[in-house]
Amino acid sequence: MHLIPVIAIDGPTASGKGTVATLVAEKLGFHYLDSGALYRLVALGSENASIDPQNGLEIGVLAKKLAISFKNGRILLNSEDVTEAIRTESIGLRASAIAAHSEVRQALIGIQHGFRVAPGLVADGRDMASVIFPDAVLKVFLTATAETRAQRRYKQLIAKGISVKLEHLLHDLQERDTRDSSRGAAPLLVADGAKVLETSELSIDQAVKKILDWYESKIA
Ligand code: DC
């Protein structure tokens, strides 16, 4: 049995996983893995290298070579600060496309396991519970309706001064949901033993509290 506990939080795009997982990690003093950022980094790297998103073989090779580091809340790719550059909608869509290749997923396994450091880890993504950390102490599938998620993303972008149309966001989000759930390699799914947390009617604090309560009862 692995001694370092993992809380796996999976769910669709814009479900609030990142915010909730970060807060849970802070409360417990655990490390945090944003696995989506890794796929976004590979998406950006492959775009910079002008590789066709369909070319899984070449992107898999590139993914193994990328120098990725997380420092003080900033994300570096080959020593360049790309924290904001990887958050655009177009990189999100490209990330979803390149994440469908098993070569790319294989290339990122080692780096994800490397985040499992004492005293514990909160990992967020699509396949944290099913593939990367199947022995996680607690598995949560965090979700909300597509409309709620589109609304949340809309507010975030508007607050950042980025102008977008709600219906475009909803459309992109549904496109990514379909692709992330229907791909052959590690599709987004509710893993065996995972607890589903529907957050449409919950505040961030309520969602965090629920997960902390579940964790407490698992380790009690
Ligand atoms: O969580 P996110 O929106 O930052 O993730 C971007 C894309 O990366 C998402 O559309 C699918 C992919 N992804 C994945 O396939 N597996 C993960 N564990 C995390 C993200």
Side-chain angles (χ1 to χ4, degrees), residues 108-202:
L108 296 178
I109 292 177
I111 182 170
Q112 294 178 84
H113 285 163
F115 278 80
R116 190 170 196 170
V117 175
L121 174 69
V122 180
D124 101 46
R126 304 293 187 287
D127 62 342
M128 297 299 96
S130 55
V131 177
I132 305 295
F133 301 110
D135 63 343
V137 187
L138 174 65
K139 301 179 177 185
V140 179
F141 189 86
L142 198 77
T143 190
T145 62
E147 287 72 20
T148 307
R149 290 184 282 126
Q151 278 283 357
R152 287 178 185 167
R153 171 123 326 150
Y154 180 76
K155 282 189 198 147
Q156 278 171 356
L157 292 173
I158 295 294
K160 282 191 205 161
I162 302 170
S163 97
V164 277
K165 282 214 159 69
L166 183 61
E167 71 250 38
H168 288 172
L169 281 179
L170 182 61
H171 174 268
D172 283 358
L173 191 139
Q174 284 167 328
E175 190 185 320
R176 278 170 65 186
D177 279 0
T178 307
R179 185 159 42 197
D180 294 348
S181 313
S182 60
R183 68 183 177 213
L188 172 68
L189 46 75
V190 181
D192 266 354
K195 291 178 179 291
V196 177
L197 187 56
E198 212 318 325
T199 67
S200 300
E201 305 293 326
L202 294 186

Side-chain angles (χ1 to χ4, degrees), residues 93-105:
L93 279 170
R94 192 178 173 98
S96 160
I98 60 105
H101 302 299
S102 53
E103 298 90 343
V104 175
R105 307 199 70 82

Side-chain angles (χ1 to χ4, degrees), residues 3 18 21 28 30 32-33 36 44 48 51 62 85 87 96 102 106 129 138 149 152-153 168 178 189-190 212 217:
L3 293 176
L28 295 170
F30 280 13
Y32 167 56
L33 165 63
L44 182 64
N48 291 344
I51 307 175
L62 176 102
R87 296 294 160 197
S96 160
S102 53
Q106 284 289 334
L138 174 65
R149 290 184 282 126
R152 287 178 185 167
R153 171 123 326 150
H168 288 172
T178 307
L189 46 75
V190 181
L212 289 171
S217 62

Side-chain angles (χ1 to χ4, degrees), residues 10-30:
D10 292 302
T13 194
S15 56
K17 299 185 305 289
T19 311
V20 170
T22 305
L23 289 168
V24 171
E26 264 174 27
K27 290 266 185 215
L28 295 170
F30 280 13

